[in-house]
Amino acid sequence: MPDTVVIIPTYNEIENIEAIIRAVFSQSDHLHILIVDDNSPDLTGLKVKALQDEFSGKLFLETRQEKSGLGTAYIHGFKWCLKRSYQYIFEMDADFSHNPNDIIKLYNACHIDGAHLSIGSRYITGVNVVNWPMSRVLMSYLASKYVRLITGMNIQDTTAGFVCYKREVLETIDLNKIKFIGYAFQIEMKFKAYLKQFKITEVPVIFTDRTRGESKLSSSIISEAIFGVISMKLKSLFEK
Ligand SMILES: Nc1nc2c(ncn2[C@@H]2O[C@H](COP(=O)(O)OP(=O)(O)OP(=O)(O)O)[C@@H](O)[C@H]2O)c(=O)[nH]1
Ligand SMILES: [Mg+2]
């Protein structure tokens, strides 16, 4: 996997950071990793710095001053990547919900099968979620159905955060116009790619709830998604 970088946003992931970095690098000697850390009080960033000697030239760290949301962390990461020559740019969580062994499947969907954007999807073959309480599974599943209904996108897992983008997708989408910061960010990115008629493929993956560290999901993130999707769709109609 040459020319490939995995962006991992982090906030207080000290219990996962070293293990996830090692797990990603163990997939291929060619992979690079960019950590976008929001000055985590648990010193996640310091741990990354300490590992940079061992992974010299392939482990990078961008530090922002304060917790500013997952969406803007990715936008920051995308811009960093586009200044360099990467052809495949991944989004991935630090908490092992996304299995690093699946990176190759997402990569192949783009590199071999010709997708512009591949999504690690939980809802292709039933509901592949491990260790989430039923309420959370239901919420996520219904959220994806809701987004399909409103946006018209033919994607099962619209809130998925395990994604491989071909460079041209991120070059084409106006990153300065991406508005959402929580889950809705994931929906918005897919919607923008869909409007630009990029080829989107879903690859079935098994999603496992975090076993270490704390969730950052909040009610404001959920309401942003519920109301944001409707306004996003309406705006897209007027912009046509
Ligand atoms: N830089 C940065 N990273 C964040 C922020 N919020 C979440 N993250 C990271 O984004 C990834 C996903 O966050 P999670 O807390 O796992 O959110 P989630 O997957 O929706 O929730 P759970 O899996 O239930 O914990 C993790 O790697 C987090 O550390 C943020 O404001 N800034
Ligand atoms: Mg998580």
Side-chain angles (χ1 to χ4, degrees), residues 188-205:
E188 189 178 12
M189 287 297 296
K190 293 178 187 74
F191 190 56
K192 293 276 156 77
Y194 159 84
L195 291 176
K196 300 271 182 201
Q197 298 184 333
F198 283 115
K199 185 177 173 209
I200 303 174
T201 301
E202 288 185 88
V203 175
V205 298

Side-chain angles (χ1 to χ4, degrees), residues 93 95 97 207 210:
D93 290 356
D95 59 2
S97 286
F207 176 99
R210 65 161 73 238

Side-chain angles (χ1 to χ4, degrees), residues 47-64:
K47 184 78 215 173
V48 177
K49 275 196 188 127
L51 288 166
Q52 277 182 317
D53 272 349
E54 184 181 341
F55 298 110
S56 172
K58 57 181 192 171
L59 174 60
F60 303 96
L61 171 67
E62 284 286 290
T63 306
R64 303 191 303 166

